[in-house]
Amino acid sequence: MATSLNPSATAGIIARASALFEDLSFTSAREWKAAKPGRKVIGYMPIYVPREIIHAADMLPLGIVGGGDQLEVIHGDAYYQSYICRIPRSTIELGVSGRIDFVDGMLFPSICDVIRNLSGMWKMMFPHVYSHYFDVPQNYRDDIGGNFYVNEMAELRHDLGELRGKPITDDELRHSIAVYNENRRLVRDLYTFRAERPWQAPAAEVYLMVRAGLVLPVEEHTDMLRDYLAAARAEERPMRDNCRIVLTGMFCEQPPLNLIKSLELSGCYVVDDDLLLVTRWLTGDVAIEGDPLRNLSDAFLHHSESTAAKYEPNQKEKGQHLVRAVKRTAAEGVIFAAPSFCDPALLERPMLQHVLKEAGIPYIAFKYAENSGQMQPIREQAGTFADSIKLWSAA
């Protein structure tokens, strides 16, 4: 049996990732910008934006995923109704409180009507900050949706080139694609390792490691992932008789970290999830040779993750990504966890549940908000689900 080569290695890496997670002033990004005159930071909301274009412009892509359970929303509630999800209100709070006053631009990807409206509100509230609603195709033919998406990326490429004072070249884009290909490979390696040995890479640690990639330069995050994987593989941790589950519905507004921890404390090993999809939206390497925007478009149309916020051209495929995830990770059930008032997740859930029922895969569902504080009901529900799976599988 292998022994830990350095028991503190994993803890040290996670401590750094935790500090980045808890820092709502984004100190690391501020320091990156201040380290060299002329540097710029471009914030982006969840799901997916082509970060390669931001990187190719010598700018830092900064993931903004709301304020979590650490931020008291005071001003943000005045801008949005109470019957929508919390992430736009806490994002507004980050803006008006000055926590992201160093950001030179904000991208709002096509997720839902709420984020679309937030992009317009941002333009009115912060008129001197570049703000762009980044749309994606709803037709997956290369000559229709593909051309549309290439044009969308070309507009972003032009705007960021104007912002930095010189155009973004194809060679710069190819280099950035190669850099992000390496990062995505390591994220996939991390998920594969977690699926194989979930006790060695707890869900909360995996989340923190991936979340660090939203605020760090991609090269630094790649090194961090490599170090964590080496440390996690070298360290032996006790294996518990937990139920293996796939967690889904958390693609936009992120759950409190304690919710993720509570699931594993309840007896569930999370072996796959849809958290922070921007980090692994593209499921394989993007081609380097040829037109870089066309290559990014091809990857988006034909080699990207399935999610409620993305158009599904083949309705027969609806929900099959969950069935495949269960089989790929040897999961024993699925937990649907969606933010309250999340239209994409909650409207799609019945269709996905129907697919799981036909496949004979157990599931449960609950809702949360990014500032949820009471974890005991969720822990009890998840624990009962895990116990029932163990009970019936042993029967």
Side-chain angles (χ1 to χ4, degrees):
M1 175 178 285
T3 57
S4 174
L5 300 178
N6 184 355
S8 65
T10 305
I13 297 168
I14 293 302
R16 184 181 177 222
S18 296
L20 292 169
F21 168 77
E22 294 169 0
D23 182 9
L24 291 182
S25 294
F26 302 98
T27 304
S28 66
R30 290 177 183 272
E31 291 175 347
W32 179 90
K33 182 177 180 178
K36 187 176 179 181
R39 278 182 167 177
K40 290 181 170 56
V41 177
I42 303 296
Y44 62 89
M45 293 293 287
I47 293 293
Y48 175 73
V49 297
R51 295 177 295 169
E52 292 88 343
I53 300 176
I54 304 171
H55 181 268
D58 299 319
M59 301 176 185
L60 177 69
L62 180 68
I64 307 293
V65 290
D69 58 355
Q70 307 168 70
L71 181 69
E72 182 181 4
V73 174
I74 300 172
H75 303 91
D77 282 339
Y79 292 86
Y80 278 99
Q81 309 92 324
S82 60
Y83 53 83
I84 63 167
C85 58
R86 188 176 186 269
I87 188 171
R89 294 195 288 273
S90 65
T91 302
I92 289 287
E93 191 72 28
L94 290 174
V96 298
S97 64
R99 288 178 170 86
I100 50 176
D101 56 3
F102 66 101
V103 170
D104 301 281
M106 280 288 289
L107 301 182
F108 300 88
S110 177
I111 304 173
C112 63
D113 289 340
V114 171
I115 301 303
R116 180 190 293 271
N117 293 339
L118 181 59
S119 70
M121 191 173 293
W122 208 265
K123 288 182 179 180
M124 293 188 294
M125 296 179 65
F126 308 103
H128 302 298
V129 174
Y130 171 71
S131 178
H132 181 71
Y133 178 75
F134 187 76
D135 210 350
V136 295
Q138 302 299 312
N139 180 300
Y140 277 50
R141 277 179 48 177
D142 292 294
D143 60 333
I144 300 177
N147 289 341
F148 169 85
Y149 190 51
V150 167
N151 289 334
E152 281 291 308
M153 289 189 288
E155 181 181 351
L156 177 61
R157 174 184 185 174
H158 171 268
D159 289 352
L160 295 185
E162 290 280 305
L163 196 59
R164 79 162 177 175
K166 64 177 181 178
I168 301 171
T169 68
D170 282 355
D171 283 341
E172 286 175 318
L173 279 169
R174 292 187 186 103
H175 170 71
S176 295
I177 288 172
V179 169
Y180 273 95
N181 278 345
E182 182 182 13
N183 185 263
R184 281 187 289 266
R185 281 194 293 269
L186 280 164
V187 172
R188 290 196 297 269
D189 287 348
L190 176 60
Y191 267 65
T192 298
F193 176 67
R194 195 260 304 266
E196 292 172 349
R197 302 175 67 83
W199 58 93
Q200 294 288 101
E205 289 190 6
V206 171
Y207 178 77
L208 289 171
M209 287 304 305
V210 177
R211 179 76 176 253
L214 271 61
V215 299
L216 292 175
V218 60
E219 298 88 350
E220 191 174 339
H221 183 237
T222 295
D223 290 340
M224 191 180 194
L225 288 171
R226 191 176 289 111
D227 290 344
Y228 175 80
L229 275 167
R233 285 171 173 144
E235 183 177 353
E236 280 296 331
R237 297 184 178 183
M239 180 175 63
R240 297 179 174 86
D241 186 28
N242 284 5
C243 172
R244 299 169 63 91
I245 64 103
V246 171
L247 185 61
T248 187
M250 298 176 160
F251 50 82
C252 183
E253 181 178 309
Q254 297 299 287
L257 187 62
N258 279 338
L259 191 156
I260 301 173
K261 293 178 179 178
S262 293
L263 291 178
E264 292 201 319
L265 288 172
S266 72
C268 295
Y269 278 137
V270 178
V271 293
D272 200 10
D273 60 58
D274 60 358
L275 295 159
L276 303 171
L277 276 182
V278 66
T279 58
R280 59 189 188 286
W281 182 270
L282 305 180
T283 58
D285 285 356
V286 180
I288 304 297
E289 302 299 324
D291 182 345
L293 295 187
R294 183 61 65 178
N295 290 341
L296 286 168
S297 175
D298 179 74
F300 181 92
L301 294 180
H302 307 298
H303 308 286
S304 58
E305 291 285 356
S306 296
T307 181
K310 172 186 164 187
Y311 173 69
E312 186 69 71
N314 181 359
Q315 288 301 304
K316 292 182 179 179
E317 270 292 298
K318 179 69 72 176
Q320 294 304 318
H321 69 286
L322 280 179
V323 176
R324 287 192 289 269
V326 168
K327 293 179 179 178
R328 182 179 65 251
T329 61
E332 299 165 277
V334 173
I335 292 181
F336 290 94
S340 297
F341 306 111
C342 178
D343 285 348
L346 295 175
L347 290 173
E348 189 175 62
R349 180 189 287 175
M351 293 181 282
L352 301 181
Q353 290 176 338
H354 176 72
V355 171
L356 294 182
K357 186 175 181 180
E358 285 194 331
I361 298 171
Y363 60 84
I364 59 166
F366 59 78
K367 292 184 287 186
Y368 67 90
E370 64 174 3
N371 63 335
S372 298
Q374 178 55 261
M375 292 297 119
Q376 188 61 28
I378 290 175
R379 182 173 175 178
E380 290 175 356
Q381 187 176 358
T384 301
F385 180 59
D387 289 344
S388 66
I389 287 177
K390 292 296 183 184
L391 175 65
W392 288 109
S393 64

